[in-house]
Coordinates of all heavy atoms in Angstrom, one line a residue:
M1 N -7.6 9.9 5.2 CA -7.0 10.0 6.6 C -5.5 10.1 6.4 O -4.9 9.2 5.7 CB -7.4 8.7 7.3 CG -6.9 8.7 8.8 SD -7.4 7.2 9.7 CE -8.7 7.9 10.6
N2 N -4.9 11.0 7.0 CA -3.4 11.2 6.9 C -2.7 10.6 8.2 O -3.4 10.2 9.1 CB -3.0 12.6 6.7 CG -3.5 13.6 7.8 OD1 -3.6 13.2 8.9 ND2 -3.8 14.8 7.4
T3 N -1.4 10.7 8.2 CA -0.7 10.2 9.4 C -1.1 10.8 10.7 O -1.3 10.0 11.7 CB 0.8 10.4 9.1 OG1 1.2 9.8 7.9 CG2 1.6 9.7 10.2
K4 N -1.2 12.1 10.7 CA -1.6 12.7 12.0 C -3.0 12.2 12.5 O -3.2 12.0 13.7 CB -1.7 14.2 11.8 CG -0.4 14.9 11.5 CD 0.3 15.2 12.8 CE 1.6 16.0 12.4 NZ 2.6 16.0 13.4
E5 N -3.9 12.0 11.6 CA -5.3 11.5 11.9 C -5.2 10.1 12.4 O -5.9 9.7 13.4 CB -6.2 11.7 10.8 CG -6.5 13.1 10.4 CD -7.2 13.3 9.1 OE1 -7.2 12.3 8.2 OE2 -7.8 14.3 8.9
V6 N -4.3 9.3 11.8 CA -4.1 7.9 12.3 C -3.6 7.9 13.7 O -4.1 7.1 14.5 CB -3.2 7.1 11.3 CG1 -2.8 5.7 11.9 CG2 -3.9 6.9 9.9
I7 N -2.6 8.7 13.9 CA -2.0 8.8 15.3 C -3.0 9.2 16.3 O -3.1 8.7 17.4 CB -0.7 9.7 15.2 CG1 0.4 9.0 14.4 CG2 -0.3 10.0 16.6 CD1 1.6 9.9 14.1
S8 N -3.8 10.2 15.9 CA -4.8 10.7 16.8 C -5.9 9.6 17.2 O -6.3 9.4 18.3 CB -5.5 11.9 16.2 OG -6.6 12.3 17.0
E9 N -6.3 8.9 16.1 CA -7.3 7.8 16.3 C -6.7 6.7 17.2 O -7.4 6.2 18.1 CB -7.7 7.2 15.0 CG -8.8 6.1 15.0 CD -10.1 6.6 15.6 OE1 -10.4 7.8 15.4 OE2 -10.8 5.8 16.2
L10 N -5.4 6.3 16.9 CA -4.8 5.3 17.7 C -4.6 5.7 19.2 O -4.7 4.9 20.1 CB -3.4 4.9 17.1 CG -3.5 4.1 15.9 CD1 -2.1 3.9 15.3 CD2 -4.2 2.7 16.1
K11 N -4.3 7.0 19.4 CA -4.2 7.6 20.7 C -5.5 7.4 21.5 O -5.5 7.0 22.7 CB -3.8 9.1 20.6 CG -3.6 9.7 21.9 CD -3.2 11.2 21.7 CE -3.1 11.9 23.1 NZ -2.8 13.3 22.9
K12 N -6.6 7.7 20.8 CA -7.9 7.5 21.5 C -8.2 6.0 21.8 O -8.6 5.7 22.9 CB -9.1 7.9 20.6 CG -9.1 9.4 20.4 CD -10.3 9.8 19.5 CE -10.1 11.1 18.8 NZ -11.1 11.4 17.8
R13 N -7.9 5.1 20.9 CA -8.2 3.7 21.1 C -7.3 3.0 22.0 O -7.7 2.1 22.8 CB -8.2 3.0 19.7 CG -9.2 3.4 18.8 CD -9.2 2.6 17.5 NE -10.2 3.0 16.6 CZ -10.7 2.2 15.6 NH1 -10.3 1.0 15.5 NH2 -11.6 2.7 14.8
L14 N -6.0 3.4 22.1 CA -5.0 2.6 22.9 C -4.6 3.3 24.2 O -3.9 2.8 25.0 CB -3.8 2.4 22.0 CG -3.9 1.6 20.7 CD1 -2.7 1.6 20.0 CD2 -4.4 0.2 21.1
S15 N -5.1 4.6 24.3 CA -4.7 5.4 25.5 C -3.2 5.4 25.7 O -2.7 5.1 26.9 CB -5.4 4.8 26.8 OG -6.8 4.8 26.6
M16 N -2.5 5.7 24.7 CA -1.1 5.8 24.8 C -0.7 7.2 24.3 O -1.5 7.9 23.7 CB -0.4 4.8 23.8 CG -0.6 3.3 24.2 SD 0.0 2.2 22.9 CE 1.8 2.4 23.2
D17 N 0.6 7.6 24.7 CA 1.0 9.0 24.3 C 1.3 9.0 22.8 O 1.6 8.0 22.2 CB 2.2 9.4 25.1 CG 3.4 8.6 24.9 OD1 3.4 7.4 25.3 OD2 4.4 9.2 24.4
E18 N 1.2 10.2 22.3 CA 1.4 10.4 20.8 C 2.8 10.0 20.3 O 2.9 9.4 19.2 CB 1.1 11.9 20.5 CG 0.5 12.1 19.2 CD 0.0 13.6 19.1 OE1 -1.0 13.9 19.7 OE2 0.7 14.3 18.3
K19 N 3.8 10.3 21.1 CA 5.2 10.0 20.7 C 5.4 8.5 20.5 O 6.0 8.0 19.5 CB 6.1 10.5 21.8 CG 7.5 10.6 21.3 CD 7.8 11.7 20.3 CE 9.2 12.0 20.1 NZ 9.4 12.8 19.0
T20 N 4.9 7.7 21.5 CA 5.0 6.2 21.4 C 4.3 5.7 20.2 O 4.8 4.8 19.4 CB 4.5 5.5 22.7 OG1 5.2 6.1 23.8 CG2 4.7 4.1 22.6
I21 N 3.1 6.1 19.9 CA 2.3 5.7 18.8 C 3.0 6.1 17.5 O 3.0 5.3 16.6 CB 0.8 6.3 18.8 CG1 0.1 5.7 20.0 CG2 0.1 6.0 17.5 CD1 -1.2 6.3 20.3
E22 N 3.5 7.3 17.4 CA 4.2 7.7 16.2 C 5.4 6.8 16.0 O 5.7 6.4 14.8 CB 4.7 9.1 16.3 CG 5.3 9.7 15.1 CD 5.6 11.2 15.2 OE1 5.3 11.8 16.2 OE2 6.2 11.7 14.2
M23 N 6.2 6.4 17.0 CA 7.3 5.5 16.9 C 6.9 4.2 16.4 O 7.6 3.6 15.5 CB 8.1 5.5 18.2 CG 8.9 6.7 18.5 SD 9.6 6.7 20.2 CE 10.2 5.0 20.4
L24 N 5.8 3.6 16.9 CA 5.3 2.3 16.5 C 4.9 2.3 15.1 O 5.2 1.4 14.3 CB 4.2 1.9 17.4 CG 4.5 1.5 18.8 CD1 3.2 1.3 19.7 CD2 5.3 0.2 18.8
L25 N 4.1 3.4 14.7 CA 3.7 3.5 13.3 C 4.8 3.6 12.3 O 4.9 2.9 11.3 CB 2.7 4.7 13.2 CG 2.0 4.8 11.9 CD1 1.2 3.6 11.6 CD2 1.2 6.1 11.9
T26 N 5.8 4.4 12.7 CA 7.0 4.6 11.8 C 7.8 3.3 11.7 O 8.2 2.9 10.6 CB 7.9 5.7 12.4 OG1 7.2 6.9 12.5 CG2 9.1 5.9 11.5
A27 N 7.9 2.5 12.8 CA 8.6 1.3 12.8 C 7.9 0.2 11.9 O 8.5 -0.5 11.2 CB 8.8 0.7 14.2
T28 N 6.6 0.2 12.0 CA 5.7 -0.7 11.3 C 5.9 -0.4 9.7 O 6.1 -1.3 9.0 CB 4.3 -0.6 11.7 OG1 4.2 -0.9 13.1 CG2 3.4 -1.6 10.9
V29 N 5.8 0.8 9.4 CA 5.8 1.2 8.0 C 7.3 0.9 7.4 O 7.4 0.4 6.3 CB 5.4 2.7 7.8 CG1 5.8 3.1 6.4 CG2 4.0 2.9 8.1
D30 N 8.3 1.2 8.2 CA 9.6 0.9 7.8 C 9.9 -0.6 7.6 O 10.6 -1.0 6.6 CB 10.6 1.5 8.8 CG 10.7 3.0 8.8 OD1 10.2 3.6 7.8 OD2 11.3 3.6 9.8
S31 N 9.3 -1.4 8.5 CA 9.5 -2.8 8.3 C 8.8 -3.3 7.1 O 9.4 -4.2 6.3 CB 8.9 -3.5 9.6 OG 9.5 -3.2 10.7
I32 N 7.6 -2.8 6.8 CA 6.9 -3.2 5.5 C 7.8 -2.8 4.3 O 7.9 -3.6 3.4 CB 5.5 -2.6 5.5 CG1 4.7 -3.3 6.6 CG2 4.9 -2.7 4.1 CD1 3.3 -2.6 6.8
K33 N 8.3 -1.6 4.4 CA 9.1 -1.0 3.2 C 10.3 -2.0 3.0 O 10.6 -2.3 1.9 CB 9.6 0.4 3.5 CG 8.6 1.4 3.3 CD 9.3 2.8 3.3 CE 8.6 3.8 4.2 NZ 9.3 5.0 4.4
E34 N 11.0 -2.3 4.1 CA 12.2 -3.1 4.0 C 11.9 -4.5 3.3 O 12.6 -5.0 2.5 CB 12.9 -3.3 5.3 CG 13.5 -2.1 5.8 CD 14.0 -2.2 7.3 OE1 14.0 -3.3 7.8 OE2 14.4 -1.2 7.9
E35 N 10.8 -5.1 3.8 CA 10.4 -6.4 3.2 C 10.1 -6.3 1.7 O 10.5 -7.1 0.9 CB 9.2 -7.0 3.9 CG 9.5 -7.5 5.3 CD 10.6 -8.6 5.3 OE1 10.4 -9.6 4.5 OE2 11.5 -8.5 6.1
L36 N 9.4 -5.2 1.3 CA 9.0 -5.0 -0.1 C 10.3 -4.7 -0.9 O 10.4 -5.2 -2.1 CB 8.0 -3.9 -0.3 CG 6.6 -4.2 0.3 CD1 5.8 -2.9 0.3 CD2 6.0 -5.3 -0.4
I37 N 11.2 -4.0 -0.4 CA 12.5 -3.7 -1.1 C 13.2 -5.0 -1.3 O 13.9 -5.1 -2.4 CB 13.3 -2.6 -0.3 CG1 12.7 -1.3 -0.5 CG2 14.7 -2.6 -0.8 CD1 13.2 -0.2 0.5
E38 N 13.2 -5.9 -0.4 CA 13.9 -7.2 -0.5 C 13.1 -8.1 -1.5 O 13.6 -9.2 -1.8 CB 14.0 -7.9 0.8 CG 15.0 -7.1 1.7 CD 15.1 -7.8 3.1 OE1 14.6 -8.9 3.3 OE2 15.7 -7.1 4.0
G39 N 11.9 -7.7 -1.9 CA 11.2 -8.5 -2.9 C 10.2 -9.5 -2.2 O 9.6 -10.3 -2.9
N40 N 10.0 -9.4 -0.9 CA 9.1 -10.2 -0.2 C 7.7 -9.6 -0.2 O 7.5 -8.4 -0.2 CB 9.6 -10.4 1.3 CG 10.9 -11.0 1.3 OD1 11.3 -11.9 0.5 ND2 11.7 -10.6 2.3
S41 N 6.7 -10.4 0.0 CA 5.3 -9.9 0.2 C 5.0 -9.8 1.7 O 5.6 -10.5 2.5 CB 4.3 -10.8 -0.5 OG 4.3 -12.1 0.1
V42 N 4.1 -8.9 2.0 CA 3.7 -8.7 3.4 C 2.2 -8.9 3.5 O 1.4 -8.2 2.8 CB 4.1 -7.2 3.8 CG1 3.6 -7.0 5.3 CG2 5.6 -7.0 3.7
A43 N 1.8 -9.8 4.3 CA 0.4 -10.1 4.5 C -0.1 -9.7 5.9 O 0.6 -10.0 6.9 CB 0.1 -11.6 4.3
V44 N -1.1 -8.9 6.0 CA -1.7 -8.5 7.2 C -3.1 -9.1 7.3 O -4.0 -8.8 6.5 CB -1.8 -6.9 7.3 CG1 -2.4 -6.5 8.6 CG2 -0.5 -6.3 7.1
Q45 N -3.2 -10.0 8.3 CA -4.4 -10.8 8.4 C -5.6 -9.9 8.6 O -5.6 -9.0 9.4 CB -4.3 -11.8 9.6 CG -5.4 -12.7 9.7 CD -5.2 -13.8 10.8 OE1 -4.3 -13.7 11.5 NE2 -6.2 -14.7 10.9
G46 N -6.7 -10.1 7.8 CA -7.9 -9.3 7.9 C -7.8 -8.0 7.1 O -8.8 -7.3 7.0
F47 N -6.6 -7.7 6.6 CA -6.5 -6.4 5.8 C -6.1 -6.7 4.4 O -6.8 -6.2 3.5 CB -5.4 -5.5 6.5 CG -5.3 -4.2 5.8 CD1 -6.3 -3.3 5.9 CD2 -4.2 -3.9 5.1 CE1 -6.2 -2.0 5.3 CE2 -4.0 -2.7 4.5 CZ -5.0 -1.7 4.6
G48 N -5.0 -7.4 4.1 CA -4.7 -7.7 2.8 C -3.2 -8.0 2.6 O -2.4 -8.1 3.6
T49 N -2.7 -8.1 1.4 CA -1.3 -8.4 1.1 C -0.7 -7.4 0.2 O -1.3 -6.9 -0.8 CB -1.3 -9.8 0.4 OG1 -1.9 -10.8 1.2 CG2 0.2 -10.2 0.1
F50 N 0.5 -6.9 0.5 CA 1.3 -6.1 -0.3 C 2.4 -6.9 -1.0 O 3.0 -7.7 -0.3 CB 2.0 -5.0 0.5 CG 1.0 -4.0 1.2 CD1 0.6 -4.3 2.5 CD2 0.5 -2.9 0.5 CE1 -0.3 -3.4 3.1 CE2 -0.3 -2.1 1.1 CZ -0.8 -2.3 2.4
E51 N 2.6 -6.7 -2.3 CA 3.6 -7.5 -2.9 C 4.2 -6.7 -4.1 O 3.6 -5.7 -4.6 CB 3.1 -8.8 -3.5 CG 2.0 -8.6 -4.6 CD 1.4 -10.0 -5.0 OE1 1.7 -11.0 -4.5 OE2 0.6 -9.9 -6.0
V52 N 5.4 -7.0 -4.4 CA 6.2 -6.3 -5.5 C 5.9 -7.1 -6.8 O 6.0 -8.3 -6.9 CB 7.7 -6.3 -5.2 CG1 8.4 -5.6 -6.3 CG2 7.9 -5.6 -3.9
R53 N 5.5 -6.4 -7.8 CA 5.3 -6.9 -9.1 C 6.2 -6.3 -10.1 O 6.4 -5.1 -10.1 CB 3.8 -6.8 -9.5 CG 2.9 -7.6 -8.7 CD 1.5 -7.5 -9.2 NE 0.5 -8.2 -8.3 CZ -0.7 -8.1 -8.3 NH1 -1.3 -7.2 -9.1 NH2 -1.5 -8.8 -7.5
K54 N 6.6 -7.1 -11.1 CA 7.5 -6.5 -12.1 C 6.6 -6.2 -13.4 O 5.9 -7.1 -13.8 CB 8.6 -7.5 -12.5 CG 9.5 -7.0 -13.6 CD 10.6 -8.0 -13.9 CE 11.5 -7.3 -15.0 NZ 12.6 -8.2 -15.4
K55 N 6.7 -5.0 -13.8 CA 6.0 -4.6 -15.1 C 7.0 -4.8 -16.2 O 8.1 -4.2 -16.1 CB 5.5 -3.2 -15.0 CG 4.4 -3.1 -14.0 CD 3.8 -1.7 -14.1 CE 2.6 -1.6 -13.1 NZ 1.8 -0.3 -13.3
E56 N 6.7 -5.5 -17.2 CA 7.6 -5.8 -18.3 C 7.7 -4.5 -19.2 O 6.9 -3.6 -19.1 CB 7.0 -6.9 -19.2 CG 6.9 -8.2 -18.5 CD 8.2 -8.8 -18.0 OE1 9.2 -8.5 -18.7 OE2 8.2 -9.5 -17.0
E57 N 8.8 -4.5 -20.0 CA 8.9 -3.3 -20.9 C 7.8 -3.4 -21.9 O 7.3 -4.5 -22.3 CB 10.3 -3.3 -21.5 CG 10.6 -4.4 -22.5 CD 12.0 -4.3 -23.1 OE1 12.8 -3.6 -22.6 OE2 12.3 -5.0 -24.0
R58 N 7.5 -2.2 -22.4 CA 6.4 -2.1 -23.4 C 6.6 -1.0 -24.3 O 7.4 -0.1 -24.0 CB 5.0 -2.0 -22.7 CG 4.9 -0.8 -21.9 CD 3.6 -0.8 -21.0 NE 3.6 0.3 -20.1 CZ 3.2 1.6 -20.4 NH1 2.8 1.9 -21.6 NH2 3.2 2.5 -19.5
I59 N 5.9 -1.0 -25.4 CA 6.0 0.1 -26.4 C 4.8 1.0 -26.2 O 3.7 0.6 -26.1 CB 6.0 -0.4 -27.8 CG1 7.3 -1.2 -28.0 CG2 5.9 0.7 -28.8 CD1 7.4 -1.9 -29.3
S60 N 5.1 2.3 -26.0 CA 4.0 3.3 -25.8 C 4.0 4.2 -27.0 O 5.1 4.5 -27.6 CB 4.3 4.1 -24.5 OG 3.3 5.1 -24.4
V61 N 2.8 4.7 -27.4 CA 2.7 5.6 -28.5 C 2.1 6.9 -28.0 O 1.1 7.0 -27.4 CB 1.8 5.0 -29.6 CG1 1.6 6.0 -30.8 CG2 2.3 3.7 -30.1
N62 N 2.9 8.0 -28.3 CA 2.4 9.4 -28.0 C 1.2 9.7 -29.0 O 1.4 9.7 -30.2 CB 3.5 10.4 -28.2 CG 3.1 11.8 -27.8 OD1 2.0 12.2 -27.9 ND2 4.1 12.5 -27.4
P63 N 0.0 9.9 -28.4 CA -1.1 10.1 -29.3 C -1.1 11.3 -30.2 O -1.6 11.4 -31.3 CB -2.3 10.2 -28.4 CG -1.8 10.4 -27.0 CD -0.3 10.0 -27.0
S64 N -0.4 12.4 -29.8 CA -0.3 13.6 -30.6 C 0.7 13.5 -31.7 O 0.5 14.0 -32.8 CB -0.1 14.8 -29.7 OG 1.1 14.7 -29.0
T65 N 1.9 12.9 -31.4 CA 3.0 12.9 -32.4 C 3.1 11.5 -33.1 O 3.8 11.4 -34.0 CB 4.3 13.2 -31.7 OG1 4.6 12.2 -30.8 CG2 4.3 14.5 -31.1
K66 N 2.4 10.5 -32.6 CA 2.4 9.2 -33.1 C 3.8 8.5 -32.9 O 4.1 7.5 -33.5 CB 2.0 9.1 -34.5 CG 0.7 9.7 -34.8 CD -0.5 8.9 -34.2 CE -1.8 9.5 -34.7 NZ -2.8 9.6 -33.6
Q67 N 4.7 9.2 -32.1 CA 6.0 8.6 -31.9 C 5.9 7.5 -30.9 O 5.3 7.5 -29.9 CB 6.9 9.7 -31.3 CG 8.3 9.3 -31.0 CD 9.2 10.4 -30.4 OE1 8.7 11.4 -30.1 NE2 10.4 10.1 -30.2
R68 N 6.6 6.4 -31.3 CA 6.7 5.2 -30.4 C 7.9 5.3 -29.5 O 9.0 5.7 -29.9 CB 6.8 4.0 -31.3 CG 5.6 3.8 -32.2 CD 5.8 2.7 -33.2 NE 6.0 1.4 -32.5 CZ 5.4 0.3 -32.7 NH1 4.4 0.2 -33.6 NH2 5.7 -0.8 -32.0
M69 N 7.7 4.9 -28.2 CA 8.7 4.9 -27.2 C 8.8 3.6 -26.5 O 7.7 3.0 -26.3 CB 8.5 6.0 -26.2 CG 8.5 7.4 -26.8 SD 8.1 8.7 -25.6 CE 6.3 8.3 -25.4
L70 N 9.9 3.2 -26.1 CA 10.1 1.9 -25.3 C 10.1 2.3 -23.9 O 10.9 3.1 -23.4 CB 11.4 1.2 -25.7 CG 11.7 -0.1 -25.0 CD1 10.6 -1.1 -25.4 CD2 13.0 -0.6 -25.3
V71 N 9.1 1.9 -23.1 CA 9.1 2.1 -21.7 C 9.8 1.0 -21.0 O 9.4 -0.2 -21.2 CB 7.6 2.1 -21.2 CG1 7.5 2.4 -19.7 CG2 6.8 3.2 -22.0
P72 N 10.8 1.3 -20.2 CA 11.6 0.2 -19.6 C 10.8 -0.5 -18.5 O 9.8 -0.1 -18.0 CB 12.8 1.0 -19.0 CG 12.3 2.4 -18.8 CD 11.3 2.6 -19.8
P73 N 11.3 -1.8 -18.2 CA 10.6 -2.5 -17.1 C 10.8 -1.8 -15.7 O 11.8 -1.1 -15.6 CB 11.3 -3.9 -17.1 CG 12.6 -3.6 -17.7 CD 12.5 -2.5 -18.7
K74 N 9.9 -2.0 -14.9 CA 10.0 -1.4 -13.5 C 9.3 -2.3 -12.5 O 8.4 -3.1 -12.9 CB 9.4 0.0 -13.5 CG 8.0 0.1 -13.7 CD 7.5 1.6 -13.6 CE 6.0 1.7 -13.8 NZ 5.5 3.0 -13.6
L75 N 9.6 -2.0 -11.2 CA 8.9 -2.7 -10.2 C 7.9 -1.8 -9.5 O 8.1 -0.6 -9.5 CB 10.0 -3.1 -9.1 CG 11.0 -4.1 -9.5 CD1 12.0 -4.3 -8.4 CD2 10.5 -5.4 -10.0
S76 N 6.8 -2.4 -9.2 CA 5.7 -1.6 -8.5 C 5.1 -2.4 -7.4 O 5.2 -3.6 -7.4 CB 4.6 -1.2 -9.5 OG 3.9 -2.3 -10.0
V77 N 4.5 -1.7 -6.4 CA 3.9 -2.3 -5.3 C 2.4 -2.5 -5.6 O 1.7 -1.5 -6.0 CB 4.1 -1.5 -4.0 CG1 3.4 -2.1 -2.8 CG2 5.6 -1.3 -3.7
A78 N 1.9 -3.7 -5.3 CA 0.5 -4.0 -5.5 C -0.1 -4.4 -4.2 O 0.5 -5.0 -3.3 CB 0.3 -5.1 -6.5
Y79 N -1.4 -4.0 -4.0 CA -2.2 -4.4 -2.8 C -3.3 -5.2 -3.2 O -4.1 -4.9 -4.1 CB -2.6 -3.1 -2.1 CG -3.6 -3.4 -1.0 CD1 -3.3 -4.0 0.2 CD2 -5.0 -3.0 -1.2 CE1 -4.2 -4.2 1.1 CE2 -5.9 -3.3 -0.3 CZ -5.6 -3.9 0.9 OH -6.5 -4.1 1.9
K80 N -3.5 -6.3 -2.5 CA -4.7 -7.2 -2.7 C -5.4 -7.3 -1.4 O -4.9 -7.8 -0.4 CB -4.2 -8.6 -3.2 CG -5.4 -9.5 -3.5 CD -4.9 -10.9 -3.9 CE -6.1 -11.8 -4.1 NZ -5.7 -13.1 -4.3
P81 N -6.7 -6.8 -1.3 CA -7.4 -6.8 -0.1 C -7.7 -8.3 0.3 O -7.9 -9.1 -0.5 CB -8.6 -6.0 -0.3 CG -8.8 -5.9 -1.8 CD -7.4 -6.1 -2.4
S82 N -7.9 -8.5 1.6 CA -8.2 -9.8 2.1 C -9.7 -10.1 1.8 O -10.5 -9.2 1.6 CB -8.0 -10.0 3.6 OG -8.9 -9.2 4.3
V83 N -10.1 -11.4 1.8 CA -11.5 -11.8 1.6 C -12.4 -11.2 2.6 O -13.5 -10.7 2.3 CB -11.6 -13.3 1.5 CG1 -13.0 -13.8 1.4 CG2 -10.7 -13.9 0.4
T84 N -11.9 -11.1 3.9 CA -12.7 -10.6 4.9 C -13.0 -9.1 4.7 O -14.2 -8.7 4.8 CB -11.9 -10.7 6.3 OG1 -11.5 -12.0 6.5 CG2 -12.7 -10.2 7.4
L85 N -12.0 -8.4 4.2 CA -12.2 -6.9 3.9 C -13.2 -6.7 2.7 O -14.0 -5.9 2.7 CB -10.9 -6.3 3.7 CG -10.9 -4.8 3.6 CD1 -11.4 -4.1 4.9 CD2 -9.5 -4.3 3.3
K86 N -13.0 -7.6 1.7 CA -13.8 -7.5 0.5 C -15.3 -7.8 0.9 O -16.2 -7.0 0.4 CB -13.4 -8.5 -0.5 CG -12.2 -8.2 -1.4 CD -12.0 -9.2 -2.4 CE -10.7 -9.1 -3.1 NZ -10.5 -10.2 -4.1
D87 N -15.5 -8.8 1.7 CA -16.9 -9.1 2.2 C -17.5 -8.0 3.0 O -18.7 -7.7 2.9 CB -16.9 -10.4 3.0 CG -16.6 -11.6 2.2 OD1 -16.6 -11.6 0.9 OD2 -16.2 -12.7 2.8
R88 N -16.7 -7.3 3.7 CA -17.1 -6.2 4.5 C -17.7 -5.1 3.6 O -18.7 -4.4 3.9 CB -15.9 -5.7 5.4 CG -16.2 -4.9 6.6 CD -16.9 -5.7 7.7 NE -17.4 -4.8 8.6 CZ -16.8 -4.3 9.7 NH1 -15.7 -4.9 10.0 NH2 -17.3 -3.4 10.5
F89 N -17.0 -4.8 2.5 CA -17.5 -3.8 1.6 C -18.7 -4.2 0.8 O -19.6 -3.4 0.5 CB -16.4 -3.4 0.6 CG -15.4 -2.5 1.2 CD1 -14.1 -2.9 1.5 CD2 -15.6 -1.2 1.4 CE1 -13.2 -2.1 2.0 CE2 -14.7 -0.3 1.9 CZ -13.4 -0.8 2.3
K90 N -18.8 -5.5 0.5 CA -20.0 -6.0 -0.1 C -21.2 -5.8 0.7 O -22.3 -5.5 0.3 CB -19.8 -7.5 -0.5 CG -18.9 -7.7 -1.6 CD -18.8 -9.2 -1.9 CE -17.7 -9.5 -2.9 NZ -17.5 -10.9 -3.1
I91 N -21.1 -6.1 2.0 CA -22.2 -6.0 2.9 C -22.6 -4.5 3.1 O -23.8 -4.2 3.1 CB -21.8 -6.5 4.4 CG1 -21.7 -8.0 4.3 CG2 -22.9 -6.1 5.4 CD1 -21.1 -8.7 5.5
G92 N -21.7 -3.6 3.0 CA -21.9 -2.2 3.2 C -22.7 -1.6 2.0 O -23.4 -0.6 2.1
K93 N -22.6 -2.2 0.8 CA -23.2 -1.7 -0.4 C -24.7 -2.2 -0.6 O -25.4 -1.6 -1.3 CB -22.4 -2.1 -1.7 CG -21.1 -1.4 -1.8 CD -20.4 -1.8 -3.1 CE -19.1 -1.0 -3.2 NZ -18.5 -1.2 -4.5
E94 N -25.0 -3.2 0.1 CA -26.4 -3.8 0.0 C -27.4 -3.0 0.7 O -27.2 -2.2 1.6 CB -26.4 -5.2 0.5 CG -25.6 -6.1 -0.4 CD -25.6 -7.6 0.1 OE1 -26.1 -7.8 1.2 OE2 -25.1 -8.4 -0.6

């Protein structure tokens, strides 16, 4: 599902105009981005938690040349689904 499809679905569910929904969605995503950039985690009840994790530097080996390289540390965003959402998927698989 892409952004246009999300906006279309929200338009059906909320009976609001497309422009307003697009502004709300953009503002929500921007707020989440800002919190993550500041190093804070963002928890959405019933959905999950987004958090910034630091990956330590490591040594990588190129399999064809056997050359070793140092990969620098970096920050990445991780998502952990809520227990409610996990349980929902377990029920669907049975």
Side-chain angles (χ1 to χ4, degrees):
M1 181 177 259
N2 62 30
T3 305
K4 295 272 186 202
E5 293 169 339
V6 171
I7 291 171
S8 177
E9 183 64 30
L10 289 173
K11 182 180 175 183
K12 289 180 203 172
R13 290 183 184 207
L14 300 175
S15 302
M16 295 172 72
D17 65 294
E18 215 170 284
K19 194 74 170 169
T20 305
I21 292 172
E22 186 176 355
M23 287 173 38
L24 287 170
L25 186 60
T26 302
T28 302
V29 170
D30 288 345
S31 296
I32 292 171
K33 281 191 228 176
E34 288 172 12
E35 287 298 315
L36 292 172
I37 288 169
E38 291 176 11
N40 302 323
S41 63
V42 178
V44 179
Q45 188 174 2
F47 184 69
T49 304
F50 296 93
E51 62 185 6
V52 178
R53 293 186 182 161
K54 183 178 181 183
K55 292 188 175 185
E56 299 296 330
E57 70 180 11
R58 60 188 173 86
I59 296 174
S60 176
V61 179
N62 183 331
S64 60
T65 64
K66 306 292 187 222
Q67 180 182 5
R68 297 171 60 128
M69 298 175 287
L70 182 64
V71 178
K74 67 178 184 176
L75 299 175
S76 66
V77 177
Y79 167 72
K80 181 180 177 189
S82 69
V83 174
T84 308
L85 189 59
K86 281 185 191 177
D87 289 344
R88 200 68 196 265
F89 281 105
K90 286 179 187 174
I91 292 170
K93 288 186 178 184
E94 292 176 354

